[in-house]
Amino acid sequence: MDSESTNKDCLGWAARDPSGLLSPYNFTRRALGSDDVSLTITHCGICYADVIWTRNGHGDSKYPLVPGHEIVGIVKQVGSNVQRFKVGDHVGVGTYVNSCRDCEYCNDGLEVHCVKGSVFTFNGIDADGTVTKGGYSSYIVVHERYCFMIPNNYPLASAAPLLCAGITVYSPMMRHKMNQPVISTSTSKKEEALNLLGADKFVLSSDPDQMKSLAKSLDFIVDSASGDHPFDPYMSLLKVAGVYVLVGFPSEVKFSPASLNIGAKTVAGSITGGTKETQEMLDFCAAKKIYPEIEIVPIQHANEALERLIKRDVKYRFVIDIENSLK
């Protein structure tokens, strides 16, 4: 089914060019297949990936581009073979919507690392050959394998950021069996980190004395910064055999070989998680009543939210109220 056909029943907001400016856009979703779930989108988190691809940051953006890969909603229709979901269920969709389903990683529930490449939720090539379009839209059709059950007692708006931001941090922490104090470049976050987010300790990385006091004290660091920043100061905080995991995408990673070799440290990378781990994280957050700090905005404020995201003017995740604002 051609996304530019006359039956444009899905309403979204799309960027038309590298300016990244979003505006209303009508298009067609692919037909529901026997293994597919169609869900009415209620909320969609705003991720920095939305900034990158709406503005052609990697030079591969396919316009019109509908961003959004932190999607939650309510099932409105299921295919004849669908077993895991029924109409009315609360469901999430994350950063990818397809994979080969036959390689060693897909077979282990690590579809994000599919040998043939997972299909991104937006700006990828869908099963029918059309360009995938994301969650800044009224509904989406996804193979049930790449949908996640949201426990009924968990707020849908809060679940949205877990589908990318949450699993991106959860996955390496589980892989390395670690959790640690909080380090930030901004002192304004101290009170919130300690009192609201439950951190045991707060360190201002721009303060040499605070950083020095933590030298060789940490087993594990997750670096979520996508902006360019020095690495040696953070590497100095690791114990012998400590692990530094990068989940952000700065333009370069540069550190002294001594920072790595002395102390036998490890530098690792990570992205989001597989389907098995993502569902595990959602269930864990629901059971432990862990809720992201979010700011809910209407779709009409999406452009402003993206600009604020670039300026780091958000605590800590924007979530678009699709259900009540996309009309």
Side-chain angles (χ1 to χ4, degrees):
M1 183 179 293
D2 182 58
S3 63
E4 297 297 325
S5 66
T6 56
N7 183 26
K8 300 177 180 180
D9 64 337
C10 189
L11 174 61
W13 275 48
R16 269 60 170 207
D17 56 53
S19 71
L21 184 67
L22 299 169
S23 58
Y25 171 62
N26 288 91
F27 63 99
T28 299
R29 291 288 186 190
R30 64 178 173 82
L32 184 80
S34 59
D35 298 309
D36 290 336
V37 173
S38 177
L39 61 140
T40 299
I41 298 173
T42 62
H43 299 84
C44 184
I46 295 181
C47 176
Y48 201 80
D50 303 342
V51 174
I52 293 172
W53 270 281
T54 55
R55 302 180 185 216
N56 201 27
H58 292 316
D60 64 351
S61 296
K62 304 172 183 67
Y63 298 105
L65 189 149
V66 179
H69 60 199
E70 296 181 342
I71 302 167
V72 293
I74 300 172
V75 176
K76 67 173 182 176
Q77 192 176 0
V78 298
S80 58
N81 292 340
V82 171
Q83 301 294 320
R84 296 172 50 225
F85 303 99
K86 64 182 186 303
V87 173
D89 283 346
H90 293 183
V91 172
V93 176
T95 60
Y96 53 94
V97 292
N98 213 338
S99 64
C100 79
R101 306 176 210 161
D102 193 42
C103 69
E104 60 180 305
Y105 302 107
C106 286
N107 289 334
D108 285 342
L110 294 169
E111 296 88 346
V112 67
H113 301 298
C114 176
V115 168
K116 295 184 180 179
S118 56
V119 176
F120 292 157
T121 301
F122 66 86
N123 203 55
I125 302 301
D126 209 345
D128 64 345
T130 60
V131 177
T132 56
K133 293 176 171 60
Y136 292 27
S137 58
S138 55
Y139 81 97
I140 192 168
V141 176
V142 181
H143 189 287
E144 72 165 328
R145 177 169 181 157
Y146 310 95
C147 296
F148 307 100
M149 186 70 76
I150 307 295
N152 286 333
N153 64 338
Y154 201 88
L156 285 172
S158 296
L162 299 179
L163 277 305
C164 176
I167 186 60
T168 297
V169 174
Y170 181 89
S171 182
M173 291 181 74
M174 294 303 104
R175 188 180 312 126
H176 298 283
K177 298 179 174 59
M178 298 288 180
N179 52 48
Q180 291 297 319
V182 174
I183 299 175
S184 176
T185 58
S186 173
T187 189
S188 65
K189 297 177 182 177
K190 180 175 182 178
E191 183 177 348
E192 289 182 348
L194 294 174
N195 299 324
L196 182 63
L197 303 182
D200 296 316
K201 190 170 185 178
F202 182 92
V203 176
L204 185 62
S205 61
S206 58
D207 185 325
D209 290 335
Q210 291 189 39
M211 291 290 280
K212 187 176 180 180
S213 70
L214 276 186
K216 302 178 181 179
S217 67
L218 302 180
D219 297 294
F220 181 68
I221 294 174
V222 176
D223 183 345
S224 62
S226 285
D228 291 333
H229 58 287
F231 287 84
D232 289 300
Y234 298 99
M235 295 281 285
S236 71
L237 306 184
L238 290 172
K239 293 179 181 178
V240 171
V243 178
Y244 191 105
V245 179
L246 181 68
V247 299
F249 287 84
S251 63
E252 67 174 4
V253 176
K254 186 177 181 180
F255 53 84
S256 166
S259 293
L260 180 68
N261 297 343
I262 297 175
K265 298 163 188 173
T266 297
V267 174
S270 190
I271 45 176
T272 60
T275 54
K276 180 180 178 181
E277 194 171 47
T278 301
Q279 187 63 63
E280 174 188 292
M281 175 210 57
L282 289 165
D283 294 339
F284 175 82
C285 288
K288 301 296 182 180
K289 300 186 182 338
I290 299 171
Y291 307 111
E293 291 297 317
I294 61 175
E295 180 177 337
I296 298 177
V297 296
I299 189 72
Q300 292 78 13
H301 291 180
N303 288 307
E304 177 187 348
L306 289 169
E307 289 293 337
R308 285 179 56 192
L309 178 59
I310 294 170
K311 298 174 182 176
R312 296 188 294 180
D313 180 24
V314 54
K315 295 180 180 177
Y316 285 85
R317 203 70 164 182
F318 284 119
V319 174
I320 301 173
D321 184 352
I322 297 291
E323 182 179 32
N324 293 311
S325 66
L326 183 60
K327 306 294 184 184

